[in-house]
Amino acid sequence: NPTGLSPMGTPRQPAEEKAQLLQNSEYQERMVESTFLYLTLDLPTAPLYKDEKEQLIIPQVPLFSILAKFNGSTEKEYKTYKENFLKRFQLTRLPPYLIFCIKRFTKNNFFVEKNPTIVNFPITNVDLREYLSEEVQAAHAHTTYDLIANIVHDGKPSEGSYRIHVLHHGTGKWYELQDLQVTDILPQMITLSEAYIQIWKRREEDETNQQGA
């Protein structure tokens, strides 16, 4: 079965007006189930502060804060040239592997901007059960994921480079790959990077954690 999520849309209005508008067919909520290849995680706007030495302080956000997009209650506004509407997302199936794409890049008519916000995340034991509805939870015996790959973008959006952190499953050790260079890396160093794409593996009941983190 394909993995799915359900977006639901309503217009943004004050409570009384919203209730009245919902009586009209064009404003009623609609639920649609669709498959996905990866989940896009939106970063908050990144205000850059400077410390007493005039050095930039990069903001940070917990992974679970940006995962809240898929809790079924958080609303996200979308705009088109014709209308504005809201969507709420909720996961309906959890696959053996999950891909997160952290939305760092935005493009306008003139240039591409990069959001440098650091995402704080554990590399093991990320439980997504709360992002499933109660009836769907019963069908999922395993909802905990471990990180197995982390793709990082360094530098400016037009001039940057990529690094990849990969878990060697047999030994539980992490390695960093950049071009032809391969070095080992401590797990705690992975979370300090500007993660862009992540691959998570669902933990089965008989699996043991070899990552030591």
Side-chain angles (χ1 to χ4, degrees):
N1 291 331
T3 303
L5 55 85
S6 300
M8 298 157 279
T10 58
R12 184 181 297 279
Q13 296 287 344
E16 293 183 0
E17 294 182 24
K18 183 176 179 180
Q20 185 175 2
L21 287 172
L22 285 177
Q23 302 303 314
N24 301 327
S25 59
E26 67 266 30
Y27 289 113
Q28 291 183 358
E29 292 188 347
R30 295 185 300 111
M31 181 180 296
V32 178
E33 182 169 330
S34 59
T35 58
F36 66 86
L37 294 176
Y38 58 87
L39 297 179
T40 300
L41 305 183
D42 304 309
L43 290 174
T45 302
L48 297 181
Y49 304 102
K50 292 186 177 181
D51 60 16
E52 63 276 5
K53 297 181 180 180
E54 292 299 307
Q55 294 180 333
L56 289 178
I57 300 175
I58 305 300
Q60 301 183 29
V61 63
L63 174 65
F64 293 102
S65 292
I66 56 178
L67 274 174
K69 172 183 179 180
F70 299 99
N71 63 12
S73 59
T74 298
E75 294 180 332
K76 179 175 173 59
E77 186 173 11
Y78 292 83
K79 296 182 180 180
T80 68
Y81 67 96
K82 287 185 177 181
E83 61 181 349
N84 295 353
F85 54 94
L86 298 179
K87 286 185 178 181
R88 299 195 304 271
F89 299 93
Q90 188 161 35
L91 300 176
T92 59
R93 296 183 185 90
L94 291 178
Y97 294 88
L98 264 178
I99 301 175
F100 293 163
C101 180
I102 299 171
K103 190 176 180 181
R104 293 197 173 277
F105 303 98
T106 54
K107 185 177 182 180
N108 57 33
N109 293 330
F110 304 100
F111 53 85
V112 177
E113 291 183 290
K114 179 184 175 183
N115 189 325
T117 298
I118 298 296
V119 178
N120 300 131
F121 57 90
I123 64 172
T124 60
N125 299 316
V126 172
D127 193 351
L128 300 183
R129 179 169 295 275
E130 65 179 277
Y131 303 101
L132 302 170
S133 62
E134 292 185 4
E135 59 271 20
V136 173
Q137 288 181 10
H140 287 76
H142 309 298
T143 57
T144 300
Y145 286 78
D146 298 325
L147 185 70
I148 60 172
N150 183 55
I151 301 174
V152 179
H153 183 272
D154 297 312
K156 298 179 180 179
S158 58
E159 305 172 2
S161 60
Y162 291 92
R163 291 178 289 134
I164 304 175
H165 301 133
V166 178
L167 173 69
H168 185 269
H169 183 72
T171 61
K173 292 183 178 181
W174 281 91
Y175 293 90
E176 180 176 278
L177 290 69
Q178 187 168 21
D179 296 329
L180 297 178
Q181 184 177 1
V182 179
T183 57
D184 55 358
I185 185 173
L186 294 174
Q188 56 266 34
M189 299 301 295
I190 297 172
T191 62
L192 302 177
S193 60
E194 294 183 27
Y196 178 40
I197 296 174
Q198 296 182 328
I199 301 176
W200 297 78
K201 182 180 183 295
R202 188 175 64 198
R203 181 180 297 184
E204 306 301 334
E205 188 174 11
D206 57 347
E207 285 185 319
T208 58
N209 180 16
Q210 301 181 32
Q211 300 186 41

